[in-house]
Coordinates of all heavy atoms in Angstrom, one line a residue:
M1 N -11.9 -13.0 9.9 CA -11.3 -12.3 11.0 C -10.0 -11.6 10.5 O -9.2 -12.1 9.7 CB -10.9 -13.3 12.1 CG -10.3 -12.7 13.3 SD -10.0 -14.0 14.6 CE -8.9 -13.1 15.6
T2 N -9.8 -10.4 11.0 CA -8.7 -9.6 10.6 C -7.6 -9.5 11.7 O -7.9 -9.2 12.9 CB -9.1 -8.1 10.3 OG1 -10.1 -8.2 9.2 CG2 -7.9 -7.3 9.8
Q3 N -6.4 -9.9 11.3 CA -5.3 -9.9 12.3 C -4.5 -8.6 12.0 O -4.0 -8.4 10.9 CB -4.5 -11.1 12.1 CG -3.2 -11.2 12.9 CD -2.3 -12.3 12.6 OE1 -2.5 -13.0 11.6 NE2 -1.3 -12.6 13.5
F4 N -4.2 -7.8 13.0 CA -3.4 -6.6 12.8 C -2.0 -6.9 13.2 O -1.7 -7.4 14.3 CB -4.0 -5.4 13.6 CG -5.2 -4.8 12.9 CD1 -6.5 -5.3 13.1 CD2 -5.1 -3.7 12.1 CE1 -7.6 -4.8 12.5 CE2 -6.2 -3.2 11.4 CZ -7.4 -3.7 11.6
I5 N -1.1 -6.5 12.3 CA 0.4 -6.8 12.5 C 1.1 -5.4 12.5 O 0.9 -4.6 11.5 CB 0.9 -7.7 11.4 CG1 0.1 -9.0 11.5 CG2 2.4 -7.9 11.6 CD1 0.4 -10.0 10.4
K6 N 2.0 -5.2 13.4 CA 2.9 -4.0 13.4 C 3.8 -4.1 12.3 O 4.5 -5.1 12.1 CB 3.6 -3.9 14.8 CG 4.5 -2.7 14.9 CD 5.2 -2.7 16.2 CE 6.4 -1.8 16.2 NZ 7.2 -1.8 17.4
V7 N 3.9 -3.1 11.4 CA 4.7 -3.2 10.3 C 5.7 -2.0 10.1 O 6.7 -2.1 9.4 CB 3.9 -3.2 8.9 CG1 3.1 -4.5 8.9 CG2 3.0 -2.0 8.9
A8 N 5.5 -0.9 10.9 CA 6.4 0.3 10.7 C 6.2 1.2 11.8 O 5.2 1.1 12.6 CB 6.1 0.9 9.4
K9 N 7.1 2.2 11.9 CA 6.9 3.3 12.8 C 6.4 4.5 12.0 O 6.9 4.8 10.9 CB 8.3 3.7 13.4 CG 8.9 2.7 14.3 CD 8.2 2.7 15.6 CE 8.9 1.8 16.6 NZ 8.1 1.7 17.9
L10 N 5.4 5.2 12.5 CA 4.8 6.3 11.8 C 5.9 7.4 11.6 O 6.0 8.0 10.5 CB 3.7 6.9 12.6 CG 3.0 8.1 12.0 CD1 2.3 7.8 10.7 CD2 1.9 8.7 13.0
S11 N 6.8 7.6 12.5 CA 7.8 8.6 12.4 C 8.8 8.3 11.3 O 9.6 9.2 10.9 CB 8.5 8.8 13.8 OG 9.1 7.6 14.2
E12 N 8.9 7.1 10.8 CA 9.8 6.7 9.8 C 9.2 6.8 8.4 O 9.9 6.7 7.4 CB 10.3 5.3 10.0 CG 11.2 5.2 11.3 CD 11.6 3.8 11.6 OE1 11.1 2.8 11.0 OE2 12.4 3.6 12.6
L13 N 7.9 7.0 8.3 CA 7.3 7.2 7.0 C 7.4 8.6 6.5 O 7.3 9.6 7.3 CB 5.8 6.8 7.0 CG 5.5 5.3 7.4 CD1 4.0 5.1 7.5 CD2 6.2 4.4 6.5
K14 N 7.6 8.8 5.2 CA 7.7 10.2 4.7 C 6.5 10.5 3.8 O 6.0 9.6 3.0 CB 9.0 10.3 3.8 CG 10.3 10.1 4.6 CD 11.5 10.2 3.7 CE 12.8 9.9 4.6 NZ 13.9 9.7 3.7
E15 N 6.0 11.7 4.0 CA 4.8 12.1 3.2 C 5.1 11.9 1.7 O 6.1 12.3 1.2 CB 4.6 13.6 3.5 CG 3.4 14.2 2.8 CD 2.0 13.7 3.4 OE1 1.9 13.4 4.6 OE2 1.1 13.7 2.6
G16 N 4.1 11.2 1.1 CA 4.2 11.1 -0.4 C 5.1 10.0 -0.9 O 5.3 9.9 -2.1
V17 N 5.7 9.2 0.0 CA 6.7 8.2 -0.4 C 6.1 6.8 -0.1 O 5.5 6.6 1.0 CB 8.0 8.4 0.4 CG1 9.0 7.3 0.0 CG2 8.7 9.8 0.0
I18 N 6.3 5.9 -1.0 CA 5.8 4.5 -0.8 C 6.9 3.7 -0.2 O 8.0 3.7 -0.7 CB 5.3 3.9 -2.1 CG1 4.3 4.9 -2.8 CG2 4.7 2.5 -1.9 CD1 3.9 4.4 -4.2
T19 N 6.5 2.9 0.8 CA 7.5 2.0 1.6 C 6.9 0.6 1.5 O 5.8 0.4 1.9 CB 7.6 2.5 3.0 OG1 8.0 3.9 3.0 CG2 8.6 1.6 3.8
G20 N 7.7 -0.3 1.2 CA 7.3 -1.7 1.2 C 7.6 -2.4 2.5 O 8.7 -2.2 3.1
V21 N 6.6 -3.2 3.0 CA 6.8 -4.0 4.2 C 6.3 -5.4 3.9 O 5.5 -5.6 2.9 CB 6.1 -3.4 5.4 CG1 6.7 -2.0 5.8 CG2 4.6 -3.2 5.1
Y22 N 6.7 -6.4 4.8 CA 6.4 -7.8 4.5 C 5.8 -8.5 5.6 O 6.4 -9.5 6.1 CB 7.6 -8.4 3.9 CG 8.1 -7.7 2.7 CD1 9.0 -6.7 2.8 CD2 7.6 -8.0 1.4 CE1 9.5 -6.0 1.7 CE2 8.0 -7.2 0.3 CZ 8.9 -6.2 0.5 OH 9.3 -5.5 -0.6
P23 N 4.6 -8.1 6.2 CA 4.0 -8.9 7.3 C 3.6 -10.2 6.8 O 2.9 -10.4 5.8 CB 2.8 -8.0 7.7 CG 2.5 -7.3 6.5 CD 3.8 -7.0 5.7
D24 N 4.0 -11.3 7.6 CA 3.5 -12.7 7.2 C 3.8 -13.0 5.8 O 3.0 -13.7 5.1 CB 2.1 -12.9 7.5 CG 1.8 -13.2 9.0 OD1 2.8 -13.4 9.7 OD2 0.6 -13.3 9.3
D25 N 4.9 -12.5 5.2 CA 5.3 -12.8 3.8 C 4.4 -12.2 2.8 O 4.4 -12.6 1.6 CB 5.5 -14.3 3.6 CG 6.7 -14.8 4.4 OD1 7.7 -14.1 4.6 OD2 6.7 -16.0 4.8
V26 N 3.5 -11.3 3.2 CA 2.7 -10.6 2.3 C 3.3 -9.3 1.9 O 3.8 -8.5 2.8 CB 1.3 -10.3 2.9 CG1 0.4 -9.5 1.9 CG2 0.6 -11.6 3.3
S27 N 3.5 -9.0 0.6 CA 4.1 -7.7 0.2 C 3.1 -6.6 0.2 O 2.1 -6.6 -0.6 CB 4.7 -7.9 -1.3 OG 5.4 -6.8 -1.6
V28 N 3.3 -5.7 1.2 CA 2.3 -4.6 1.4 C 3.1 -3.3 1.2 O 4.2 -3.1 1.6 CB 1.8 -4.7 2.8 CG1 0.9 -3.4 3.1 CG2 1.0 -5.9 3.0
A29 N 2.4 -2.3 0.6 CA 3.0 -1.0 0.4 C 2.3 0.0 1.3 O 1.1 -0.1 1.5 CB 2.8 -0.5 -1.0
L30 N 3.1 0.9 2.0 CA 2.5 1.9 2.8 C 2.8 3.3 2.2 O 3.8 3.5 1.6 CB 3.2 1.9 4.2 CG 3.1 0.6 5.0 CD1 3.9 0.8 6.3 CD2 1.7 0.3 5.4
A31 N 1.8 4.2 2.3 CA 2.0 5.5 1.8 C 1.3 6.5 2.8 O 0.2 6.3 3.2 CB 1.4 5.7 0.4
L32 N 2.1 7.5 3.2 CA 1.6 8.6 4.0 C 1.1 9.7 3.1 O 1.9 10.3 2.4 CB 2.7 9.1 5.0 CG 2.3 10.1 6.0 CD1 1.3 9.5 7.0 CD2 3.6 10.6 6.8
I33 N -0.2 10.0 3.1 CA -0.8 11.0 2.2 C -1.6 12.0 3.1 O -2.6 11.6 3.7 CB -1.6 10.4 1.2 CG1 -0.8 9.4 0.3 CG2 -2.2 11.5 0.2 CD1 -1.7 8.6 -0.7
N34 N -1.2 13.2 3.1 CA -1.9 14.2 3.9 C -2.0 13.8 5.4 O -3.0 14.0 6.0 CB -3.2 14.6 3.3 CG -3.1 15.3 2.0 OD1 -2.1 16.0 1.7 ND2 -4.0 15.0 1.1
G35 N -1.0 13.1 5.9 CA -1.0 12.7 7.3 C -1.7 11.4 7.6 O -1.6 10.9 8.7
S36 N -2.3 10.8 6.6 CA -3.0 9.5 6.8 C -2.2 8.4 6.1 O -1.7 8.5 5.0 CB -4.4 9.5 6.1 OG -5.2 10.5 6.8
V37 N -2.2 7.3 6.8 CA -1.4 6.1 6.3 C -2.4 5.2 5.5 O -3.5 4.9 5.9 CB -0.8 5.2 7.4 CG1 0.0 4.1 6.9 CG2 0.1 6.1 8.3
H38 N -1.9 4.9 4.3 CA -2.7 3.9 3.4 C -1.8 2.7 3.2 O -0.6 2.8 3.1 CB -2.9 4.6 2.0 CG -3.8 5.8 2.1 ND1 -5.1 5.8 1.8 CD2 -3.5 7.1 2.5 CE1 -5.6 7.0 1.9 NE2 -4.6 7.8 2.3
A39 N -2.5 1.5 3.2 CA -1.8 0.3 3.0 C -2.5 -0.5 1.9 O -3.7 -0.6 1.8 CB -1.8 -0.6 4.3
F40 N -1.7 -1.0 1.0 CA -2.2 -1.6 -0.2 C -1.3 -2.7 -0.8 O -0.1 -2.7 -0.4 CB -2.6 -0.6 -1.3 CG -1.4 0.4 -1.6 CD1 -0.6 0.2 -2.6 CD2 -1.2 1.5 -0.7 CE1 0.4 1.1 -2.9 CE2 -0.2 2.4 -1.0 CZ 0.6 2.2 -2.1
A41 N -1.8 -3.5 -1.6 CA -1.0 -4.6 -2.2 C 0.2 -3.9 -3.0 O 0.0 -2.9 -3.7 CB -1.8 -5.4 -3.2
N42 N 1.4 -4.5 -2.8 CA 2.6 -3.9 -3.4 C 2.9 -4.5 -4.7 O 4.0 -4.4 -5.2 CB 3.8 -4.2 -2.4 CG 5.0 -3.3 -2.7 OD1 4.9 -2.4 -3.5 ND2 6.1 -3.7 -2.2
I43 N 2.0 -5.2 -5.4 CA 2.2 -5.8 -6.7 C 1.2 -5.3 -7.7 O 0.0 -5.4 -7.5 CB 2.1 -7.3 -6.6 CG1 3.2 -7.8 -5.5 CG2 2.3 -8.0 -7.9 CD1 3.1 -9.3 -5.2
C44 N 1.7 -4.7 -8.7 CA 0.8 -4.1 -9.8 C 0.0 -5.2 -10.4 O 0.6 -6.3 -10.8 CB 1.6 -3.4 -10.8 SG 0.6 -2.7 -12.1
T45 N -1.3 -5.0 -10.6 CA -2.1 -6.1 -11.3 C -2.0 -6.1 -12.8 O -2.5 -7.0 -13.4 CB -3.6 -5.8 -10.9 OG1 -4.0 -4.5 -11.3 CG2 -3.9 -6.0 -9.5
H46 N -1.2 -5.1 -13.3 CA -1.0 -5.2 -14.8 C 0.0 -6.3 -15.1 O -0.3 -7.2 -15.9 CB -0.5 -3.8 -15.3 CG -0.1 -3.9 -16.8 ND1 1.1 -3.6 -17.2 CD2 -0.8 -4.3 -17.9 CE1 1.2 -3.8 -18.5 NE2 0.0 -4.2 -18.9
D47 N 1.2 -6.2 -14.5 CA 2.2 -7.2 -14.8 C 3.3 -7.3 -13.7 O 4.4 -7.6 -13.9 CB 3.0 -6.8 -16.1 CG 3.8 -8.0 -16.7 OD1 3.5 -9.1 -16.4 OD2 4.8 -7.7 -17.4
G48 N 2.8 -7.2 -12.5 CA 3.6 -7.5 -11.3 C 4.6 -6.4 -10.9 O 5.5 -6.7 -10.1
G49 N 4.5 -5.2 -11.4 CA 5.5 -4.2 -11.0 C 5.4 -3.9 -9.5 O 4.4 -4.0 -8.9
P50 N 6.6 -3.5 -9.0 CA 6.7 -3.2 -7.5 C 6.2 -1.8 -7.3 O 6.9 -0.8 -7.6 CB 8.2 -3.3 -7.2 CG 8.8 -2.9 -8.6 CD 7.9 -3.4 -9.7
L51 N 5.0 -1.6 -6.6 CA 4.5 -0.3 -6.4 C 5.3 0.5 -5.4 O 5.3 1.8 -5.5 CB 3.0 -0.4 -6.0 CG 2.1 -1.0 -7.0 CD1 0.6 -1.1 -6.5 CD2 2.1 -0.2 -8.3
D52 N 6.1 -0.1 -4.6 CA 6.9 0.6 -3.6 C 8.1 1.3 -4.3 O 8.8 2.1 -3.7 CB 7.4 -0.2 -2.5 CG 8.3 -1.4 -2.8 OD1 8.3 -1.7 -4.0 OD2 8.9 -1.9 -1.9
E53 N 8.3 1.0 -5.6 CA 9.3 1.7 -6.4 C 8.6 2.8 -7.3 O 9.3 3.5 -8.1 CB 10.1 0.8 -7.3 CG 10.9 -0.2 -6.4 CD 11.7 -1.2 -7.3 OE1 11.8 -1.0 -8.5 OE2 12.1 -2.2 -6.7
G54 N 7.3 3.0 -7.1 CA 6.6 4.0 -7.9 C 6.5 5.3 -7.1 O 7.2 5.5 -6.1
E55 N 5.5 6.1 -7.5 CA 5.3 7.4 -6.7 C 3.8 7.6 -6.5 O 3.0 6.9 -7.1 CB 5.9 8.5 -7.5 CG 5.4 8.7 -8.9 CD 6.1 9.7 -9.7 OE1 6.9 10.5 -9.2 OE2 5.8 9.9 -10.9
I56 N 3.6 8.6 -5.7 CA 2.2 9.1 -5.4 C 1.9 10.3 -6.2 O 2.7 11.3 -6.2 CB 2.0 9.4 -3.9 CG1 2.3 8.1 -3.0 CG2 0.6 9.9 -3.7 CD1 1.3 7.0 -3.3
V57 N 0.8 10.3 -7.0 CA 0.4 11.4 -7.8 C -1.1 11.6 -7.6 O -1.9 10.7 -7.8 CB 0.7 11.2 -9.3 CG1 0.2 12.4 -10.1 CG2 2.2 11.0 -9.5
N58 N -1.5 12.8 -7.1 CA -2.9 13.1 -6.8 C -3.6 12.0 -6.1 O -4.7 11.6 -6.4 CB -3.6 13.3 -8.2 CG -3.1 14.5 -8.9 OD1 -2.7 15.5 -8.2 ND2 -3.1 14.5 -10.2
G59 N -2.9 11.5 -5.0 CA -3.5 10.5 -4.2 C -3.6 9.1 -4.7 O -4.1 8.2 -4.1
C60 N -3.0 8.8 -5.9 CA -2.9 7.5 -6.5 C -1.5 7.0 -6.5 O -0.5 7.8 -6.6 CB -3.4 7.6 -7.9 SG -5.2 7.9 -8.2
A61 N -1.3 5.7 -6.3 CA 0.0 5.1 -6.5 C 0.2 4.8 -8.0 O -0.7 4.3 -8.7 CB 0.1 3.7 -5.8
V62 N 1.3 5.2 -8.5 CA 1.7 5.0 -9.9 C 2.8 4.0 -10.1 O 3.8 4.1 -9.5 CB 2.1 6.4 -10.5 CG1 2.4 6.2 -12.0 CG2 1.1 7.4 -10.3
C63 N 2.4 2.9 -10.9 CA 3.4 1.9 -11.1 C 4.6 2.4 -11.9 O 4.4 3.1 -12.9 CB 2.7 0.7 -11.8 SG 3.8 -0.7 -12.1
P64 N 5.8 2.0 -11.5 CA 7.0 2.4 -12.1 C 7.2 1.8 -13.5 O 8.0 2.3 -14.3 CB 8.2 2.1 -11.2 CG 7.7 0.9 -10.5 CD 6.2 1.1 -10.3
R65 N 6.6 0.7 -13.8 CA 6.9 0.0 -15.0 C 6.2 0.6 -16.2 O 6.8 0.8 -17.2 CB 6.5 -1.5 -14.8 CG 7.5 -2.2 -13.9 CD 7.4 -3.6 -13.9 NE 7.6 -4.2 -15.2 CZ 7.2 -5.4 -15.5 NH1 6.6 -6.2 -14.6 NH2 7.4 -5.9 -16.7
H66 N 4.8 0.7 -16.2 CA 4.1 1.2 -17.4 C 3.1 2.3 -17.0 O 2.3 2.7 -17.9 CB 3.3 0.0 -18.1 CG 4.1 -1.2 -18.3 ND1 4.0 -2.3 -17.6 CD2 5.1 -1.4 -19.2 CE1 4.8 -3.2 -18.0 NE2 5.5 -2.7 -18.9
G67 N 3.1 2.7 -15.8 CA 2.3 3.9 -15.4 C 0.9 3.7 -15.0 O 0.1 4.6 -14.9
A68 N 0.5 2.4 -14.7 CA -0.8 2.2 -14.1 C -1.0 3.0 -12.9 O -0.1 3.1 -12.1 CB -1.1 0.7 -13.9
R69 N -2.2 3.5 -12.6 CA -2.5 4.3 -11.4 C -3.6 3.6 -10.6 O -4.5 3.0 -11.2 CB -3.1 5.7 -11.8 CG -2.0 6.6 -12.4 CD -2.6 7.9 -12.8 NE -1.6 8.8 -13.4 CZ -1.4 10.0 -13.0 NH1 -2.0 10.6 -12.0 NH2 -0.4 10.7 -13.6
F70 N -3.4 3.6 -9.3 CA -4.4 2.9 -8.4 C -4.9 3.9 -7.4 O -4.1 4.5 -6.6 CB -3.7 1.7 -7.8 CG -3.2 0.7 -8.8 CD1 -1.9 0.7 -9.3 CD2 -4.1 -0.3 -9.2 CE1 -1.5 -0.2 -10.2 CE2 -3.7 -1.2 -10.2 CZ -2.5 -1.2 -10.7
D71 N -6.2 4.0 -7.3 CA -6.8 4.7 -6.2 C -6.6 4.1 -4.9 O -6.9 2.9 -4.7 CB -8.3 4.8 -6.5 CG -9.1 5.7 -5.5 OD1 -9.0 5.4 -4.3 OD2 -9.8 6.6 -6.0
L72 N -6.0 4.8 -3.9 CA -5.7 4.2 -2.7 C -6.8 4.1 -1.6 O -6.6 3.6 -0.5 CB -4.4 4.9 -2.1 CG -3.2 4.7 -3.0 CD1 -2.0 5.4 -2.3 CD2 -2.9 3.3 -3.3
V73 N -8.0 4.5 -2.0 CA -9.2 4.4 -1.2 C -10.0 3.1 -1.6 O -10.3 2.3 -0.9 CB -10.0 5.6 -1.1 CG1 -11.3 5.4 -0.4 CG2 -9.3 6.8 -0.5
T74 N -10.2 3.1 -3.0 CA -11.0 2.0 -3.5 C -10.2 0.8 -4.1 O -10.7 -0.3 -4.3 CB -11.9 2.5 -4.6 OG1 -11.1 2.9 -5.7 CG2 -12.7 3.7 -4.2
G75 N -8.9 1.1 -4.4 CA -8.1 0.1 -5.1 C -8.3 0.0 -6.6 O -7.6 -0.7 -7.3
T76 N -9.2 0.8 -7.1 CA -9.4 0.8 -8.6 C -8.1 1.1 -9.4 O -7.4 2.0 -9.0 CB -10.5 1.9 -8.9 OG1 -11.7 1.6 -8.2 CG2 -10.8 1.9 -10.4
G77 N -7.9 0.3 -10.4 CA -6.8 0.5 -11.3 C -7.2 1.3 -12.5 O -8.3 1.0 -13.1
Y78 N -6.4 2.3 -12.9 CA -6.7 3.0 -14.1 C -5.6 2.8 -15.2 O -4.6 3.4 -15.2 CB -6.8 4.5 -13.7 CG -7.8 4.8 -12.8 CD1 -7.5 5.1 -11.4 CD2 -9.2 4.9 -13.2 CE1 -8.6 5.3 -10.5 CE2 -10.2 5.2 -12.3 CZ -9.9 5.4 -10.9 OH -10.8 5.7 -10.0
F79 N -5.9 1.8 -16.0 CA -4.9 1.4 -17.0 C -5.6 0.1 -17.7 O -6.2 -0.7 -17.0 CB -3.6 0.9 -16.4 CG -2.5 0.8 -17.3 CD1 -1.9 1.9 -17.9 CD2 -2.0 -0.4 -17.7 CE1 -0.8 1.8 -18.7 CE2 -0.9 -0.6 -18.6 CZ -0.3 0.6 -19.1
P80 N -5.4 0.0 -19.0 CA -5.9 -1.2 -19.6 C -5.3 -2.5 -19.0 O -4.1 -2.5 -18.7 CB -5.5 -1.1 -21.1 CG -5.3 0.4 -21.3 CD -4.8 0.9 -19.9
A81 N -6.1 -3.4 -18.7 CA -5.7 -4.7 -18.1 C -5.0 -4.6 -16.8 O -4.2 -5.4 -16.4 CB -4.7 -5.4 -19.1
A82 N -5.4 -3.6 -16.0 CA -5.0 -3.5 -14.6 C -6.2 -3.5 -13.7 O -6.9 -2.5 -13.6 CB -4.1 -2.2 -14.3
G83 N -6.4 -4.7 -13.1 CA -7.6 -4.8 -12.1 C -7.3 -4.1 -10.8 O -6.2 -3.5 -10.7
P84 N -8.2 -4.1 -9.9 CA -8.0 -3.4 -8.6 C -7.0 -4.1 -7.8 O -6.7 -5.3 -8.0 CB -9.4 -3.5 -8.0 CG -10.1 -4.7 -8.6 CD -9.6 -4.7 -10.0
I85 N -6.4 -3.3 -6.9 CA -5.4 -3.9 -5.9 C -6.1 -4.0 -4.6 O -7.1 -3.3 -4.3 CB -4.1 -3.0 -5.8 CG1 -4.5 -1.6 -5.4 CG2 -3.3 -3.1 -7.0 CD1 -3.3 -0.7 -5.1
A86 N -5.6 -4.9 -3.7 CA -6.2 -5.0 -2.4 C -5.8 -3.8 -1.6 O -4.7 -3.3 -1.7 CB -5.6 -6.3 -1.7
I87 N -6.8 -3.3 -0.8 CA -6.6 -2.3 0.2 C -6.7 -2.9 1.6 O -7.6 -3.6 1.8 CB -7.6 -1.1 0.0 CG1 -7.6 -0.6 -1.4 CG2 -7.5 -0.1 1.1 CD1 -6.3 0.2 -1.7
Y88 N -5.7 -2.6 2.4 CA -5.7 -3.1 3.8 C -6.1 -2.1 4.8 O -5.8 -0.9 4.6 CB -4.3 -3.7 4.1 CG -3.8 -4.8 3.2 CD1 -2.9 -4.5 2.2 CD2 -4.4 -6.0 3.2 CE1 -2.4 -5.5 1.3 CE2 -4.0 -7.0 2.4 CZ -3.0 -6.7 1.4 OH -2.6 -7.7 0.5
Q89 N -6.7 -2.6 5.9 CA -7.0 -1.7 7.0 C -5.7 -1.3 7.7 O -4.8 -2.0 7.8 CB -7.9 -2.4 8.0 CG -9.3 -2.8 7.5 CD -10.1 -3.5 8.5 OE1 -10.4 -2.9 9.6 NE2 -10.4 -4.7 8.2
V90 N -5.8 0.0 8.3 CA -4.6 0.5 9.0 C -5.1 1.0 10.4 O -6.1 1.6 10.5 CB -4.0 1.7 8.2 CG1 -2.9 2.3 9.0 CG2 -3.4 1.2 6.9
R91 N -4.2 0.7 11.4 CA -4.4 1.3 12.7 C -3.1 2.0 13.1 O -2.0 1.4 12.8 CB -4.7 0.2 13.7 CG -6.1 -0.3 13.8 CD -6.2 -1.2 15.0 NE -7.5 -2.0 14.9 CZ -7.8 -3.1 15.6 NH1 -6.8 -3.6 16.3 NH2 -8.9 -3.6 15.4
V92 N -3.2 3.1 13.7 CA -2.0 3.8 14.2 C -2.2 3.9 15.7 O -3.1 4.4 16.2 CB -1.8 5.2 13.6 CG1 -0.6 5.9 14.2 CG2 -1.6 5.1 12.1
E93 N -1.2 3.3 16.4 CA -1.3 3.2 17.9 C 0.0 3.9 18.4 O 1.1 3.2 18.3 CB -1.4 1.8 18.4 CG -2.7 1.2 17.9 CD -2.9 -0.3 18.4 OE1 -1.9 -0.9 18.9 OE2 -4.0 -0.9 18.1
G94 N -0.1 5.1 18.8 CA 1.2 5.8 19.2 C 2.0 6.0 17.9 O 1.5 6.6 16.9
D95 N 3.2 5.5 17.9 CA 4.1 5.6 16.8 C 4.1 4.3 15.9 O 4.8 4.2 14.9 CB 5.5 5.9 17.2 CG 6.4 6.4 16.1 OD1 5.9 7.1 15.2 OD2 7.6 6.0 16.0
D96 N 3.3 3.4 16.4 CA 3.2 2.1 15.6 C 2.2 2.1 14.5 O 1.0 2.5 14.8 CB 2.9 0.9 16.6 CG 4.1 0.7 17.6 OD1 5.2 1.1 17.3 OD2 3.8 0.2 18.7
V97 N 2.5 1.6 13.4 CA 1.6 1.4 12.3 C 1.3 -0.1 12.2 O 2.2 -0.9 12.0 CB 2.1 1.9 11.0 CG1 1.2 1.7 9.8 CG2 2.4 3.4 11.1
L98 N 0.0 -0.4 12.2 CA -0.4 -1.8 12.1 C -1.3 -2.0 10.9 O -2.1 -1.1 10.6 CB -1.2 -2.3 13.4 CG -0.5 -2.2 14.7 CD1 -0.6 -0.9 15.4 CD2 -1.0 -3.3 15.6
V99 N -1.1 -3.1 10.2 CA -1.9 -3.4 9.0 C -2.8 -4.6 9.3 O -2.3 -5.6 9.9 CB -1.0 -3.6 7.8 CG1 -1.7 -4.2 6.6 CG2 -0.3 -2.3 7.4
G100 N -4.0 -4.5 8.8 CA -4.9 -5.7 9.0 C -4.9 -6.6 7.9 O -5.2 -6.2 6.7
L101 N -4.5 -7.8 8.1 CA -4.5 -8.9 7.1 C -5.7 -9.8 7.4 O -5.8 -10.3 8.5 CB -3.2 -9.6 7.1 CG -2.0 -8.8 6.8 CD1 -0.8 -9.7 6.8 CD2 -2.1 -8.1 5.4
S102 N -6.5 -10.1 6.4 CA -7.6 -11.0 6.6 C -7.1 -12.4 6.6 O -6.3 -12.8 5.9 CB -8.7 -10.8 5.5 OG -9.2 -9.5 5.6
E103 N -7.7 -13.2 7.6 CA -7.4 -14.6 7.6 C -8.5 -15.4 7.0 O -9.7 -15.1 7.2 CB -7.2 -15.1 9.1 CG -6.0 -14.4 9.8 CD -5.9 -14.9 11.2 OE1 -6.8 -15.4 11.8 OE2 -4.7 -14.8 11.7
E104 N -8.2 -16.4 6.2 CA -9.3 -17.2 5.6 C -9.8 -18.2 6.6 O -9.1 -18.6 7.5 CB -8.6 -17.9 4.4 CG -8.1 -16.9 3.3 CD -9.2 -16.1 2.7 OE1 -10.3 -16.5 2.5 OE2 -9.0 -14.9 2.5
Ligands
FES201 S1 3.4 -3.7 -14.4 FE1 2.5 -2.0 -13.5 S2 1.8 -0.8 -15.2 FE2 2.6 -2.6 -16.1

């Protein structure tokens, strides 16, 4: 079952900028790309770099530590020893951005 949690205001997100949020103590990164909100794990699978301190390039999140890139639709990592990152469901209700966290 997926629980949706309000994490941000759409009006506060900036196009092409990654923002970290922490619903239920989960580190989640948000990025507004061409008007669509993407939510993904905020921890690089290469060596734990904070993706919210990185940047968006060609629709991918780029880790600030060693440059791993992650596709924000599939989660695929493009870097040696960087596995995929989790991609979370997003709902926008008015100005509220909600992220879906799966419950075990
Ligand atoms: S920690 Fe992200 S690329 Fe190395």
Side-chain angles (χ1 to χ4, degrees):
M1 180 177 166
T2 299
Q3 176 187 12
F4 282 85
I5 300 173
K6 179 181 163 186
V7 294
K9 294 285 190 188
L10 180 61
S11 57
E12 295 175 350
L13 299 179
K14 295 179 182 166
E15 180 73 27
V17 175
I18 306 173
T19 301
V21 294
Y22 302 91
D24 276 356
D25 293 328
V26 177
S27 187
V28 174
L30 301 176
L32 184 64
I33 302 173
N34 296 325
S36 295
V37 181
H38 297 259
F40 49 98
N42 194 15
I43 299 171
C44 178
T45 55
H46 173 239
D47 194 26
L51 295 180
D52 63 343
E53 294 179 16
E55 59 184 353
I56 299 296
V57 177
N58 295 329
C60 291
V62 181
C63 180
R65 290 190 58 201
H66 312 105
R69 291 177 181 233
F70 297 93
D71 183 305
L72 297 185
V73 175
T74 65
T76 301
Y78 299 102
F79 193 73
I85 55 172
I87 300 294
Y88 300 106
Q89 295 179 62
V90 173
R91 283 187 189 160
V92 176
E93 298 178 354
D95 194 37
D96 294 334
V97 176
L98 298 88
V99 168
L101 299 180
S102 296
E103 296 180 338
E104 299 296 324

